[in-house]
Amino acid sequence: MPIGIKPYEGLSRRAEWRDGVRNAVRAYACRQSAFFGNLRRLAQREMGMPDDNLAEEAPLPRGRMRHAHLRLVGHLDVSAQAEPTYDTRRGQTTGSILKPRINRRCLVAGLLALPVSGVVVAALPLGMGRSSGGKWFGAAATFLRPSGPVISRADGQIIENLDIYAAQGNGITVLHQGVVVRSCRIRHAMGRGVYAQGAAGIRLEDLDIDHIGVPPSGTGLSQNHNNIELESCPDTIIIRVRASHGSSNVYVVNCPGTQMSFLELHDARGPFPRGQNVQFNRSPDTSLQEFSAENGPTSWTEDNISVFHSDRCAVRHGLVFYNNSPTGAGVMLEGSFNCLVEDVDAVQQGNGAFSAVPQDDVGSGGCSFNRCRIRDTYNGPRDGREAPTSNGLSFHIRISEGAEKHSVRDCCVYALANPGNIIWETAAVNAGWSIERKAFDPRPPLRIAFDWQ
């Protein structure tokens, strides 16, 4: 049930809602409060009345808004469609009206949710609805309002329900503590999607972030075009995020205690030193779980998941897919102690699927790889880049002098490009390590469905 209200002189804000089954509402309305007032009064007056066609009833202002018009199209079990136009200059409806039957409750909910003020943050939930099959769908769906770049203004601020486009600079910049960013679509070309500094306790949830400034394939234009970049933000929470085409998709530095879950990550582009889907840098006690990190021939990767100088971190329940770096690994624990990698599948890796190693004078030891699986590795040039420097190694395990050995338990490999190069070096691994050769189906990639799609 698309509904369009064309803007006057380009001053518009947009809202969108879908019930995920058969209906869609799109509303475009001008900023003039009188216009919104008429729509809201109409919605309030009509709430609770039976389904009907609303095209002839909409009282729109005359004269001032010379080019505004209202279009209604119904396609919910109707025998005919119509696109009547209400001309505010003439004060009359033009075009043929075929009396389509539309759901007034869905329309009214949308009209009531339209924002009146020009505030940056708007919470616009819709109520419950019913699908054509008679089953209740979801809780609340959400409108997204178009916005340019946003900067936080206070501790504890909530930034939500925005469709952000940033041609220059960051999509969202957070410089305050306890800020919540949720239910936003962010497109950024020449900066970061979300950048936060000194924002302890920031929470990012239900975000779709895309770096749109990359070439069709290959290395990105800058190492600084990350989709999420957080600096000195302890106790961050990142949940239900889809991020694509970033220099790195998620990069956190000096952010101890960060918790990430349900991340859908695509096509990391670099250039070096970026190229990760996720990197923890000097961020101890950080966790990543329930994720998929997927790359392909258009990507320019380093490590898919990098834990760099970050002790006691955990990477659980995920998929790392495709790498074309001569030196990058699927999951790399570099200069880190007592980390855990568990129930992670690595597919299409070349230089090492799972690694735990010192980094220069920063040691490594006491890490565990449990139920990690590897399949379909490669050992030659790929996507215009050189062959893996490890000769197709699967597990790269080393410790620093005097450090506790690493553990490898209940892991398996299948379809290796170099089946004789599974683990190096065994002297750095606790006795009883177990890697079995057997076929397996990798875990499916994560797919996030947002309530505003």
Side-chain angles (χ1 to χ4, degrees):
M1 183 178 57
I3 300 161
I5 303 172
K6 291 192 174 180
Y8 174 56
E9 295 183 350
L11 299 176
S12 66
R13 53 171 50 92
R14 178 185 176 204
E16 178 173 342
W17 170 71
R18 297 178 187 273
D19 71 17
V21 185
R22 298 179 63 189
N23 307 338
V25 175
R26 288 186 177 86
Y28 300 81
C30 68
R31 292 172 187 253
Q32 277 77 3
S33 60
F35 196 29
F36 276 102
N38 283 338
L39 291 174
R40 285 175 174 272
R41 284 191 291 274
L42 165 68
Q44 291 163 356
R45 186 178 71 244
E46 301 296 341
M47 179 63 81
M49 294 183 66
D51 291 351
D52 199 349
N53 176 31
L54 202 59
E56 298 170 305
E57 302 175 1
L60 301 182
R62 299 178 62 174
R64 298 174 56 229
M65 300 170 52
R66 293 173 298 170
H67 304 296
H69 67 269
L70 174 65
R71 291 190 301 112
L72 293 145
V73 178
H75 59 73
L76 292 178
D77 302 319
V78 299
S79 57
Q81 291 190 343
E83 292 195 60
T85 296
Y86 189 92
D87 191 326
T88 57
R89 291 180 295 176
R90 302 174 184 175
Q92 65 185 30
T93 301
T94 62
S96 61
I97 300 177
L98 301 181
K99 292 287 185 181
R101 307 286 292 182
I102 61 177
N103 188 312
R104 184 187 298 274
R105 288 184 178 274
C106 292
L107 170 61
V108 167
L111 294 177
L112 285 172
L114 287 171
V116 175
S117 68
V119 296
V120 171
V121 180
L124 305 172
L126 286 180
M128 297 282 289
R130 184 181 294 271
S131 73
S132 59
K135 297 180 180 179
W136 292 97
F137 61 82
T142 306
F143 282 123
L144 297 186
R145 186 167 59 82
S147 172
V150 175
I151 301 177
S152 68
R153 297 178 180 177
D155 291 350
Q157 182 181 0
I158 297 176
I159 299 171
E160 63 182 351
N161 303 330
L162 299 177
D163 194 349
I164 295 172
Y165 174 72
Q168 299 286 336
N170 306 323
I172 296 178
T173 301
V174 178
L175 304 174
H176 297 85
Q177 298 184 9
V179 171
V180 176
V181 180
R182 65 190 181 201
S183 300
C184 292
R185 179 190 289 118
I186 303 167
R187 302 291 180 264
H188 62 106
M190 301 297 290
R192 292 99 163 168
V194 176
Y195 175 73
Q197 184 177 40
I202 184 175
R203 183 181 179 97
L204 308 177
E205 62 179 283
D206 296 316
L207 305 179
D208 183 10
I209 311 173
D210 191 4
H211 174 217
I212 60 175
V214 294
S217 65
T219 181
L221 302 180
S222 168
Q223 68 182 49
N224 297 317
H225 294 168
N226 303 308
N227 280 315
I228 294 175
E229 181 175 332
L230 310 179
E231 183 177 351
S232 301
C233 301
D235 302 318
T236 290
I237 294 176
I238 304 175
I239 182 170
R240 293 186 304 276
V241 170
R242 179 168 59 218
S244 307
H245 310 118
S247 303
S248 287
N249 281 317
V250 179
Y251 178 52
V252 298
V253 56
N254 295 323
C255 297
T258 294
Q259 300 176 45
M260 308 181 195
S261 58
F262 297 99
L263 304 189
E264 179 188 338
L265 309 165
H266 298 274
D267 199 18
R269 291 299 193 90
F272 184 86
R274 303 281 71 81
Q276 303 82 17
N277 277 300
V278 176
Q279 184 173 47
F280 316 154
N281 184 351
R282 299 192 299 278
S283 298
D285 303 302
T286 290
S287 66
L288 168 66
Q289 59 185 1
E290 308 299 341
F291 69 94
S292 60
E294 302 167 70
N295 298 299
T298 62
S299 306
W300 196 96
T301 66
E302 285 300 317
D303 303 320
N304 293 77
I305 306 297
S306 170
V307 180
F308 184 82
H309 295 191
S310 299
D311 299 338
R312 300 176 303 279
C313 291
V315 179
R316 295 189 180 98
H317 307 149
L319 170 70
V320 291
F321 184 87
Y322 203 95
N323 196 306
N324 57 21
S325 171
T327 57
V331 179
M332 168 64 83
L333 312 178
E334 189 171 11
S336 302
F337 286 88
N338 303 315
C339 294
L340 171 66
V341 181
E342 188 171 73
D343 297 309
V344 175
D345 291 349
V347 182
Q348 294 275 346
Q349 303 295 317
N351 190 59
F354 298 100
S355 299
V357 297
Q359 197 275 324
D360 293 337
D361 59 348
V362 181
S364 173
C367 297
S368 297
F369 295 91
N370 300 333
R371 298 182 300 278
C372 295
R373 305 187 297 179
I374 306 167
R375 66 168 292 163
D376 302 331
T377 62
Y378 76 98
N379 190 28
R382 173 178 268 191
D383 304 330
R385 304 181 73 180
E386 296 179 358
T389 56
S390 70
N391 194 27
L393 182 63
S394 294
F395 286 87
H396 184 194
I397 308 293
R398 293 189 291 121
I399 57 173
S400 50
E401 185 177 357
E404 180 184 355
K405 293 183 177 181
H406 302 298
S407 297
V408 179
R409 302 185 183 94
D410 301 322
C411 297
C412 72
V413 297
Y414 177 68
L416 301 181
N418 189 346
N421 196 15
I422 293 179
I423 185 169
W424 186 77
E425 47 188 36
T426 56
V429 184
N430 284 316
W433 59 269
S434 56
I435 302 174
E436 183 180 3
R437 298 176 189 263
K438 68 176 182 180
F440 67 91
D441 293 326
R443 64 177 60 232
L446 182 68
R447 292 294 178 263
I448 299 173
F450 300 105
D451 66 357
W452 33 262
Q453 287 189 328

